[in-house]
Amino acid sequence: MLWAGVALAGLGWIFVPHATPASDALPPANPPTAAAAAQRPEPNGHYALVVEGDRDHLTITHAHWKPDPWAGVPKGLTSDYRLAVLDAAGDELASVPLDLSKFDLRPEAKGSAVRSEGCTVLDARVAMLANVPCHGDLAAVHVFYRGGEELGRVLATTVRDLAGGGK
Amino acid sequence: MSRHNRFAGSLGALAVLAAAHAQQPIVQTVYSSGTTQSRYDMVILADGYQAAEQTTFQNNVQAFLTALFQKQPYATFASYYNVHTVFRASVDSGASHPDANPPIVRNTAYGAAYNTGGTARCLYINNTSQALADAALAPANEGRVLVFVNDSRYGGCAGQFAVSYNGSSMTEVQIHEIGHSLGSLADEYDYPNQTYTGGEPGQANISASPTGQKWSHWWGTDGISAFQGAGYYLYGLYRPKNNCLMRSLGVPMCAVCQEQSTRTLNSITNVITSTLPTANSLSLNVGTVQPFAFTHFVPAGNSPLIQWQLDGNVIPGATSPSWLLDTTNLTLGTHTVEASVLDRTPIVRQDPSQTMRERRTWTVVVTDPNAANLRFSALSSNLVWVQPGQSPVLSYTLANDGPAAAGPFDVEFFLSTTTSYDPNRSMYLGKQAFASFAVGSQAQQYSPQVPWRLEGRVYYVFAVADRQNSVRETNENDNSRYGAFVGQAGPCVTKLEYADPLVYPLSAAALPVSTGGAVQPTVVARCAAPGTLYLIAWGCSGTVPGTPLAPGITVPLNQDLCTQLGLAAVNGAWFQNFLGTLDAQGLGRATFQVPANSGLLASTGHFAALLVDPVQGFSGVTNPVVIDLQ
């Protein structure tokens, strides 16, 4: 009867709400947090972050809080690299793709000196600005990803300290 | 301490303070068009300028901006920019020249140096960390940063930073470099005797295609064609125009480069500035007329096209920045209002990422104080494995969120093999009627008999409230809930049941004789031998005592005129497939078709089926099912 148990687990003998058109999958292990998200306060301004590292490791070295609202992700920008802001429960408060197109991210280039081609510079060391919404005390950690691979994490308290505290 | 000495001491302290102050970067906004959220915030840093040379830096910036906003596409979109400068004084004036003999070494804020990467004219900065930290001091930034270097030797380079010297070609060099840095454009110049053999480059303005297919939408305009020699290769790479700022200083950007730079700019700016309502979600009572409006800064010369959409449908004639939503005839529940403005500048002809269209969306919930809202909060079954003909107990909780009571309405049940149900295809399990349903939740139970033709597979059970939409509800899209169970192989029974949509119980069906119609009596005999014949008979005189066929086999029909009519016309237009052989699943599907105004009288009769084994003769009979001609 092992197969039966597996089948039942797969079916999830929990009846779920059905929207029109039918789109409900069986519920995830962690309930969706849409309701929680709806109750979250709006972000309070944004951070201008200095992100440094290389193709395999990224961190935040400087942070400045800006009172103006975050302007959002540029239309059409996609990237394997992103910076996610997570709350204490691990839910994403924001996910911002990182435009690393100006850096030499080839594995063989890692650690190499700056190259130039014509009047363009290719550097394997990443040093860039990233803007992310500021979620204040709701934010617990900022995590860098390439695809599903984590490349570094910085506690939100550290970011707040870099920014002079208070936000 | 003498008076003189106190004064000298104060001067000394002031000098220390001034020196400390001089080391702090000075942030200024030198060109402002609007909010940082809406505009492209350009940040310009100074390197190799001593404290006393701050005015030189500001003059360089002004000269650059004057030149920039006289060139296309920057002239058209000048109002899309804010420009901020951050001045950090350097210890030394100028940049390092490591390739000079002897090398010149300068102590500057960001370590500007020529010969970066071995290219003599590649002037770039080395202390990128400090430069970014300073750039982040500006009120806002877009990631890429410009740097002016106070040195008269020709040079510039671009990466994350667009760097230029401040000599006579400063403005041209810097505009070229921001073509790289902000516009992601490639160099179009070439080096002698090199042949490109790689794939298609990602940049918009160079191509391995000898025809320049990627800019084919510009062919024939502005001299655009395909010219060999680009991206540092003399052969194998092509540029759109014979000459362009990305190839030579002193010439305009070509149409292809202008288009790319414009798309990049518009991917970052938000041309819709203020909106009414300011909140992006609102709740309105039905009948309310709500004004919507927005402001934008697309230049009038670019022929901005404004559209309003309601639930994805364009509102004809609504082309101004304001629009009135009349909720009188809207269904209750959630609706979407979208405003958009499309910049139709001739500078952009192709825009796959829709960077030239800006949208704002409002979610509008239309409510009615006299409406109800039905939804299921739970649904479960006492059986996980269900056999054909069994009656699982379905327990469910139905809520009415109010504010008004609901009713009358039905809760109906369906069986489907997918995660959606279709009332015209899914197996029907009947309904429960509610005359009235007060605000609040009610736990209910329902125990339908599942069909005898149930197969061994996964089934989804749906509970659906008010499918007929007889209740006015705030949200009509949350009236169903589903779950799954597993159908099991059934016992060896011989049954007759209806397989029609919305017919339940499965042992009774009705047809109006005036308008006619059809029902599908279906024989279920899973264990019958392959090739077994079935015959469905009709009787109008009851089921008891029935008609004996063989010892132990009695058809539960009393023979009468209906029986004779049915047998006489078997497999005709009225009694389709009433005589046949069971299929591989042991099913025999028939259709009883009554034409309109057939002359039949209203009556209540029955169908019943008998099985004829090719070897043993009569091998079984089914239960009777009611056919009610009304």
Side-chain angles (χ1 to χ4, degrees):
Chain A
M1 288 301 286
L2 180 61
W3 66 271
V6 171
L8 277 177
L11 285 170
W13 183 238
I14 299 170
F15 281 57
V16 295
H18 170 66
T20 301
S23 59
D24 289 329
L26 296 171
N30 289 323
T33 56
Q39 293 169 0
R40 284 186 194 126
E42 289 292 306
N44 179 15
H46 72 279
Y47 283 122
L49 305 175
V50 176
V51 175
E52 297 189 75
D54 58 31
R55 69 182 306 277
D56 297 321
H57 179 75
L58 293 169
T59 191
I60 297 167
T61 57
H62 297 85
H64 293 275
W65 178 78
K66 308 294 176 187
D68 291 356
W70 180 56
V73 176
K75 291 190 272 286
L77 173 61
T78 58
S79 173
D80 281 348
Y81 290 81
R82 68 189 180 100
L83 173 56
V85 184
L86 309 182
D87 67 13
D91 291 328
E92 282 192 5
L93 299 170
S95 178
V96 179
L98 300 175
D99 179 5
L100 299 184
S101 60
K102 296 299 178 189
F103 300 99
D104 191 348
L105 301 177
R106 295 170 303 146
E108 61 269 28
K110 184 176 175 180
S112 63
V114 175
R115 293 190 301 128
S116 65
E117 244 185 356
C119 61
T120 56
V121 169
L122 289 169
D123 196 344
R125 295 171 306 152
V126 172
M128 63 175 293
L129 290 168
N131 298 295
V132 298
C134 173
H135 287 275
D137 291 339
L138 279 179
V141 64
H142 294 62
V143 185
F144 293 95
Y145 294 102
R146 177 178 53 213
E149 180 186 1
E150 184 177 322
L151 302 180
R153 56 174 52 210
V154 180
L155 292 175
T157 51
T158 303
V159 174
R160 284 195 285 273
D161 290 344
L162 288 170
K167 297 290 177 187
Chain B
M1 183 181 286
S2 70
R3 187 185 184 99
H4 173 79
N5 282 345
R6 282 203 302 273
F7 182 63
S10 299
L11 277 179
L14 280 172
V16 171
L17 281 173
H21 178 70
Q23 292 171 358
Q24 296 302 311
I26 299 166
V27 181
Q28 287 184 286
T29 296
V30 297
Y31 185 86
S32 180
S33 297
T35 63
T36 63
Q37 193 181 14
S38 63
R39 263 54 176 199
Y40 189 106
D41 288 277
M42 182 184 288
V43 181
I44 305 177
L45 304 181
D47 199 19
Y49 296 80
Q50 292 176 309
E53 294 172 310
Q54 185 181 354
T55 303
T56 304
F57 171 64
Q58 296 298 354
N59 289 341
N60 291 157
V61 169
Q62 288 304 324
F64 162 68
L65 294 179
T66 300
L68 180 73
F69 292 136
Q70 288 174 349
K71 284 184 177 292
Q72 289 290 30
Y74 305 100
T76 293
F77 295 98
S79 66
Y80 284 44
Y81 289 90
N82 295 328
V83 181
H84 315 283
T85 59
V86 181
F87 181 83
R88 177 184 286 275
S90 293
V91 172
D92 293 335
S93 180
S96 294
H97 300 213
D99 52 344
N101 188 14
I104 299 170
V105 179
R106 299 282 187 247
N107 180 3
T108 69
Y110 311 124
Y114 290 87
N115 204 39
T116 302
T119 302
R121 69 174 187 284
C122 185
L123 172 63
Y124 206 65
I125 59 171
N126 288 293
N127 191 352
T128 53
S129 181
Q130 183 64 63
L132 292 170
D134 284 357
L137 295 173
N141 72 82
E142 310 301 346
R144 304 284 155 75
V145 179
L146 281 66
V147 183
F148 280 115
V149 178
N150 185 30
D151 201 298
S152 60
R153 174 178 159 183
Y154 178 86
C157 234
Q160 192 67 10
F161 298 86
V163 181
S164 169
Y165 83 129
N166 67 343
S168 58
S169 296
M170 169 192 74
T171 57
E172 288 289 303
V173 169
Q174 187 58 283
I175 296 170
H176 172 96
E177 301 306 345
I178 66 174
H180 294 303
S181 184
L182 275 57
S184 296
L185 295 169
D187 277 322
E188 293 183 15
Y189 51 82
D190 51 73
Y191 292 146
N193 303 319
Q194 292 197 44
T195 300
Y196 180 76
T197 56
E200 179 64 19
Q203 296 98 327
N205 63 326
I206 59 173
S207 175
S209 159
T211 60
Q213 186 64 39
K214 72 166 69 165
W215 54 74
S216 59
H217 55 289
W218 285 105
W219 284 347
T221 304
D222 186 37
I224 301 297
S225 179
F227 298 85
Q228 190 162 218
Y232 321 124
Y233 290 90
L234 184 58
Y235 305 108
L237 275 183
Y238 298 80
R239 61 188 188 276
K241 191 173 179 179
N242 189 38
N243 213 349
C244 167
L245 179 61
M246 297 314 290
R247 181 174 173 86
S248 307
L249 301 184
V251 296
M253 261 192 183
C254 71
V256 172
C257 291
Q258 286 192 35
E259 180 182 56
Q260 170 62 16
S261 297
T262 302
R263 286 188 301 228
T264 303
L265 169 67
N266 279 268
S267 74
I268 290 172
T269 53
N270 296 302
V271 298
I272 293 179
T273 46
S274 62
T275 57
L276 177 73
T278 52
N280 55 17
S281 63
L282 58 158
S283 180
L284 301 173
N285 274 343
V286 67
T288 303
V289 177
Q290 172 68 43
F292 286 82
F294 67 93
T295 57
H296 69 89
F297 56 87
V298 177
N302 290 359
S303 306
L305 174 66
I306 291 173
Q307 278 189 340
W308 291 88
Q309 292 187 27
L310 176 61
D311 297 330
N313 300 310
V314 174
I315 309 297
T319 56
S320 78
S322 60
W323 176 67
L324 293 176
L325 171 67
D326 185 348
T327 63
T328 303
N329 295 317
L330 289 183
T331 58
L332 301 183
T334 302
H335 297 270
T336 302
V337 173
E338 181 189 280
S340 68
V341 55
L342 174 66
D343 184 333
R344 294 187 288 183
T345 173
I347 295 173
V348 175
R349 289 186 176 177
Q350 277 194 356
D351 186 23
S353 294
Q354 298 205 47
T355 58
M356 305 305 290
R357 185 186 292 278
E358 189 78 32
R359 306 167 193 273
R360 283 292 182 279
T361 302
W362 293 266
T363 300
V364 179
V365 178
V366 178
T367 59
D368 184 343
N370 298 316
N373 186 46
L374 298 171
R375 63 179 172 83
F376 291 95
S377 58
L379 175 62
S380 63
S381 168
N382 68 326
L383 297 179
V384 177
W385 308 94
V386 179
Q387 290 188 357
Q390 272 194 307
S391 297
V393 177
L394 303 177
S395 300
Y396 64 92
T397 302
L398 181 62
N400 175 11
D401 297 329
F409 66 92
D410 295 329
V411 172
E412 296 174 284
F413 299 86
F414 295 89
L415 264 187
S416 173
T417 55
T418 69
T419 54
S420 63
Y421 79 95
D422 178 351
N424 296 315
R425 295 174 58 88
S426 301
M427 295 179 186
Y428 193 53
L429 297 182
K431 63 187 178 186
Q432 282 183 308
F434 290 85
S436 179
F437 201 105
V439 174
S441 293
Q442 293 183 24
Q444 299 283 344
Q445 286 192 332
Y446 180 67
S447 184
Q449 185 184 28
V450 302
W452 289 103
R453 61 188 186 282
L454 200 76
E455 299 174 17
R457 62 181 302 170
V458 174
Y459 284 93
Y460 296 89
V461 185
F462 283 82
V464 183
D466 190 34
R467 186 176 58 85
Q468 307 285 1
N469 277 335
S470 56
V471 178
R472 186 163 175 79
E473 292 188 70
T474 307
N475 183 356
E476 297 284 4
N477 298 318
D478 62 350
N479 283 26
S480 64
R481 195 175 178 99
Y482 73 83
F485 64 56
V486 180
Q488 286 184 307
C492 287
V493 295
T494 302
K495 295 290 182 180
L496 185 64
E497 67 184 13
Y498 288 105
D500 297 273
L502 301 176
V503 169
Y504 190 88
L506 305 179
S507 57
L511 283 177
V513 292
S514 57
T515 58
V519 290
Q520 299 172 56
T522 299
V523 180
V524 183
R526 298 287 192 195
C527 303
T532 297
L533 280 170
Y534 70 87
L535 173 66
I536 301 175
W538 181 27
C540 303
S541 306
T543 60
V544 179
T547 304
L549 298 177
I553 298 179
T554 298
V555 179
L557 291 176
N558 298 324
Q559 286 191 61
D560 55 18
L561 283 174
C562 292
T563 313
Q564 291 175 15
L565 175 60
L567 292 175
V570 70
N571 286 0
W574 287 33
F575 301 95
Q576 299 165 30
N577 296 323
F578 269 52
L579 173 62
T581 54
L582 299 176
D583 65 16
Q585 284 75 46
L587 301 180
R589 302 174 188 276
T591 301
F592 179 50
Q593 176 96 44
V594 177
N597 302 311
S598 61
L600 279 178
L601 299 176
S603 63
T604 298
H606 296 84
F607 293 128
L610 56 92
L611 301 184
V612 184
D613 185 277
V615 177
Q616 300 174 353
F618 294 119
S619 57
V621 293
T622 71
N623 54 296
V625 296
V626 174
I627 179 68
D628 188 8
L629 298 176
Q630 298 174 331

